Amino acid sequence: IHLDLEALGASIPRPRVHVAVGRGLSVPTGDRARTLVMCAREAVTNAARHSSAENVWLDLVDDDEGTRLSVCDDGAGGLGSSLGNGLR
């Protein structure tokens, strides 16, 4: 999954994608891995299209509830939310 996230960042010129993977991460496979990569792709796409972000940070860690993907960017934010074609 780490390589998939790195490849996601390499496929676009902006924003720059930074990937951090927590120590001892139980690497998800199958549907869980695909879901995390899809969520990351959607977050990076939104940052590029809507927030003018220069950087996006993707952080994968294990916690009491399982594997968690945290996303942060340095963009300006959106003008509100509306239903679109993203994740539901």
Side-chain angles (χ1 to χ4, degrees):
I1 190 167
H2 183 259
L3 294 177
D4 291 335
L5 296 177
E6 291 286 346
L8 171 65
S11 69
I12 58 170
R14 186 194 62 77
R16 184 167 178 217
V17 178
H18 309 271
V19 178
V21 177
R23 280 195 159 161
L25 178 75
S26 300
V27 178
T29 58
D31 288 343
R32 290 182 68 212
R34 281 188 290 281
T35 300
L36 286 168
V37 171
M38 287 173 53
C39 289
R41 183 179 299 126
E42 182 69 13
V44 170
T45 299
N46 285 344
R49 288 184 181 165
H50 305 297
S51 77
S52 301
E54 294 296 325
N55 295 280
V56 175
W57 293 269
L58 305 175
D59 190 18
L60 276 173
V61 296
D62 277 339
D63 63 17
D64 293 339
E65 297 180 28
T67 304
R68 182 177 305 268
L69 171 66
S70 298
V71 181
C72 183
D73 70 56
D74 61 359
L79 298 175
S81 62
S82 61
L83 289 178
N85 295 320
L87 300 173
R88 292 177 199 231

